Amino acid sequence: MTDSSESRHAWARPTDLDLTPLTADVVVIGGGSAGLTAAGVAASQGRRVVMVERDRTGGECLFTGCVPSKTLMSLAGRVHAARGAQALGLSVTGQPDWAAVRAEVRRVIDSFERVDAPAALAATGVQVIAGEAAFVSPHVLEVMHARGQRTVTAAEFILATGSQVRVPDVPGLRGVPFLTHETVFELPERPEHLIVMGGGAVGCELSQAFARLGSRVTLLHTGARLLPRDEPEASAAVLKALRADGVTVHLNAHARQVQTRRVQVQADGVQVELPGQAVLGTHLLLATGKRPRVQGLGLEVIGAPFTEDGLTVRPSMQSVGCAYLWGAGDVVGGPMFTHGATERGTLAGLGSLGPLGRVAARLRAPAGRAERIPHVTFTDPEAAQWGLTEAQAAQTHRGRAVVVEYDFSHLDRAATENAGEGFVKLVAVRDRLGSPLGLQVVGAQVVGRRAGELIQLLSVTPRLGIHPLRTALLPVPYPTFAEAVRQTYLGLFTQGEHFGRSRPARPDAG
Ligand SMILES: Cc1cc2nc3c(=O)[nH]c(=O)nc-3n(C[C@H](O)[C@H](O)[C@H](O)COP(=O)(O)OP(=O)(O)OC[C@H]3O[C@@H](n4cnc5c(N)ncnc54)[C@H](O)[C@@H]3O)c2cc1C
């Protein structure tokens, strides 16, 4: 038996079901990463802030996204490492206990109560009320909950309602039971054969985690390579790793039809028909992307335009049609990450503070642009990317783009940790004179252990407008993975056995 989702994480459910009308300076709709950040900014400046949350404060990242998926990856990594300890004379066999895996995921989620619970937010000056919010007239929200409805009036509003699963248009799909990130972490039993649709970050991470935790996994991806926003070498490395973990990967796999089929004597499973073959599994997981949650919010009533790609906002996150509405997080579309949500939440929070805050939001906006924020896929090896890829740089800066490649085989710390394969690829652009003084780094990719940390170090130089030579000359503690950053940067200026190797960028690289 599993406990109901109502009672689980009860600490995160707002208990304020009052019906009395409320007035506030700032109202935040949605208590996920974006809403929490925005509310924190506004409350820290003495604004009276009300947050409306229909489910649980903490949002996707905490309950169904980053936290459970990274915990699952970490547990899967521990199982994998234990099995690999044979080289040290230890022998580990069998499968991990699924109940223990689930309990650990829940324990980690619950450890966030101290910061994300409505009670904790109240201590910071944010009043959290329960219910589903929609605009009914300018500056007025109606909040519906089990006991009735109440109105909330405010000067400024922040929309942070997140996103929802995008169900692809495949015949039969809506008629079969499928899992999403909202249900997969609560499975009462380990899936025997999990079919994962979607080879982006979520699909790759969960495929590897479930394979390492003992499920048979088949990954179906419509594209020619996994992780299409990363460099092709990263896609190839992750594909190789997944296959090494026993995941069956089908690329260019356009599902034609999905239907229920008997897989065992007493249990139904799901069959996905591909051109020329069919895959039959016990469970189907959709990791096919998400779309912003903009419907049913009364945005038409306040003149705030939106499309299926999200709320239409200026770079400062102010709605283009409604001056007192700010967007934050997945609801404004673009790449959907927690660090993007918190950055946009900060902009929205600043914007809600009045004229000075609006100036601050406008000044800060360029650094928060989606393409300027790195992203990470937390597979083993990790894949992390920032900025332009080699092909994009070569096409944009014809003849002036260069690439430096550095392999982890030169990295002493990778050797002492037996870290396996890894590399850094740095993309830079020369000025028209070809002088080293005009060199600018425009993109980076890392694959390997600690890639998520290394991408921040690699991208900090261009993001802060520092000349790459300064990073190339900066001493680094030995032996660390961070040495890869300096050695790669050195490759922009000089050739050497242990430095990154440079070459002209190719427009057809991927
Ligand atoms: C499996 C998975 C793994 C991920 N891993 C990572 C990762 O490792 N790193 C990373 O950066 N990102 C990751 N992400 C993405 C990340 O979870 C999201 O980008 C982020 O949580 C979005 O935050 P948000 O505040 O915009 O939306 P949400 O967290 O979805 O918050 C929206 C909130 O609004 C509430 N709401 C909606 N409508 C209403 C309404 N009408 N009235 C009141 N409340 C409402 C919802 O209940 C919800 O609580 C992952 C996503 C998934 C699915």
Side-chain angles (χ1 to χ4, degrees):
M1 284 286 285
T2 56
D3 49 348
S4 81
S5 70
E6 285 302 310
S7 60
R8 223 174 307 118
H9 313 303
W11 53 263
R13 294 187 191 277
T15 51
D16 185 341
L17 293 165
D18 208 336
L19 300 179
T20 333
L22 259 182
T23 305
D25 296 324
V26 180
V27 170
V28 180
I29 308 167
S33 307
L36 290 168
T37 308
V41 171
S44 73
Q45 298 307 306
R47 300 300 187 275
R48 170 156 166 52
V49 181
V50 167
M51 172 181 282
V52 190
E53 172 52 55
R54 64 178 188 178
D55 186 14
R56 297 172 287 191
T57 50
E60 176 183 286
C61 179
L62 179 54
F63 297 104
T64 61
C66 333
V67 173
S69 64
K70 264 77 269 181
T71 307
L72 207 66
M73 289 302 295
S74 159
L75 296 173
R78 280 156 67 184
V79 171
H80 182 74
R83 288 194 184 121
Q86 259 173 349
L88 302 175
L90 293 172
S91 163
V92 177
T93 53
Q95 301 293 2
D97 175 15
W98 187 249
V101 168
R102 270 188 5 148
E104 178 60 4
V105 171
R106 287 189 191 175
R107 185 196 65 75
V108 174
I109 291 173
D110 283 335
S111 71
F112 286 74
E113 176 175 0
R114 209 171 37 82
V115 280
D116 283 352
L121 295 170
T124 67
V126 178
Q127 179 184 0
V128 186
I129 66 170
E132 176 117 20
F135 286 97
V136 285
S137 59
H139 291 281
V140 184
L141 271 187
E142 190 169 82
V143 177
M144 305 276 293
H145 56 65
R147 295 211 192 131
Q149 64 201 50
R150 82 196 296 188
T151 54
V152 185
T153 310
E156 304 281 333
F157 289 84
I158 294 169
L159 189 71
T161 47
S163 57
Q164 60 201 53
V165 173
R166 196 185 286 275
V167 182
D169 203 9
V170 177
L173 181 55
R174 287 176 191 272
V176 302
F178 56 76
L179 299 164
T180 68
H181 64 280
E182 288 172 358
T183 49
V184 71
F185 300 109
E186 292 298 338
L187 276 173
E189 282 159 7
R190 177 187 12 245
E192 199 175 306
H193 182 181
L194 181 67
I195 302 174
V196 179
M197 269 176 140
V202 172
C204 290
E205 289 177 7
L206 294 183
S207 291
Q208 188 174 52
F210 276 93
R212 288 183 166 187
L213 291 169
S215 296
R216 193 176 148 206
V217 179
T218 302
L219 173 58
L220 310 178
H221 181 57
T222 50
R225 63 182 179 90
L226 302 172
L227 306 178
R229 294 177 29 180
D230 285 49
E231 294 279 9
E233 300 92 321
S235 307
V238 171
L239 176 66
K240 184 175 163 193
L242 291 181
R243 286 188 168 150
D245 278 313
V247 178
T248 305
V249 183
H250 295 271
L251 299 174
N252 299 308
H254 294 272
R256 288 184 163 172
Q257 163 103 32
V258 182
Q259 55 195 303
T260 312
R261 277 268 194 274
R262 184 96 344 164
V263 273
Q264 287 151 355
V265 180
Q266 292 189 340
D268 281 342
V270 174
Q271 176 167 293
V272 181
E273 283 169 26
L274 306 169
Q277 62 181 317
V279 181
L280 180 60
T282 54
H283 296 74
L284 174 67
L285 169 66
L286 295 192
T288 40
K290 295 182 296 153
R291 59 187 171 81
R293 207 181 267 126
V294 281
Q295 299 291 347
L297 292 161
L299 295 173
E300 308 81 352
V301 177
I302 57 166
F306 61 91
T307 66
E308 64 170 20
D309 295 327
L311 182 73
T312 316
V313 290
R314 303 178 202 286
S316 66
M317 295 297 125
Q318 188 175 34
S319 157
V320 298
C322 176
Y324 60 85
L325 183 73
W326 303 80
D330 285 4
V331 75
V332 302
M336 295 180 185
F337 304 115
T338 293
H339 46 293
T342 53
E343 180 57 28
R344 292 157 168 188
T346 304
L347 295 179
L350 286 171
S352 74
L353 297 177
L356 273 182
R358 287 171 198 216
V359 172
R362 249 178 261 133
L363 290 175
R364 190 177 160 133
R369 277 190 7 223
E371 68 276 15
R372 301 217 178 158
I373 301 183
H375 64 265
V376 184
T377 302
F378 293 89
T379 41
D380 174 13
E382 289 180 7
Q385 199 270 340
W386 169 80
L388 298 182
T389 61
E390 174 180 354
Q392 288 166 341
Q395 286 155 19
T396 317
H397 305 277
R398 291 189 174 276
R400 292 192 291 123
V402 289
V403 162
V404 179
E405 289 165 313
Y406 174 81
D407 196 275
F408 275 20
S409 57
H410 299 296
L411 190 60
D412 293 359
R413 185 60 185 271
T416 61
E417 289 207 7
N418 193 18
E421 293 174 21
F423 67 86
V424 178
K425 181 171 174 180
L426 201 64
V427 184
V429 176
R430 298 191 188 285
D431 67 9
R432 297 197 187 279
L433 301 174
S435 141
L437 287 177
L439 256 185
Q440 270 190 324
V441 172
V442 294
Q445 173 84 58
V446 195
V447 170
R449 195 165 292 177
R450 319 251 164 103
E453 265 73 38
L454 291 180
I455 197 68
Q456 180 70 359
L457 292 177
L458 282 157
S459 64
V460 112
T461 299
R463 286 160 78 197
L464 292 183
I466 299 167
H467 192 273
L469 187 60
R470 294 185 65 191
T471 302
L473 297 178
L474 203 62
V476 183
Y478 175 88
T480 58
F481 281 87
E483 280 188 291
V485 175
R486 184 183 184 201
Q487 302 303 84
T488 310
Y489 268 81
L490 275 166
L492 280 171
F493 302 97
T494 180
Q495 299 293 321
E497 169 82 2
H498 297 286
F499 304 153
R501 290 182 179 276
S502 71
R503 60 169 173 79
R506 290 188 294 256
D508 59 351

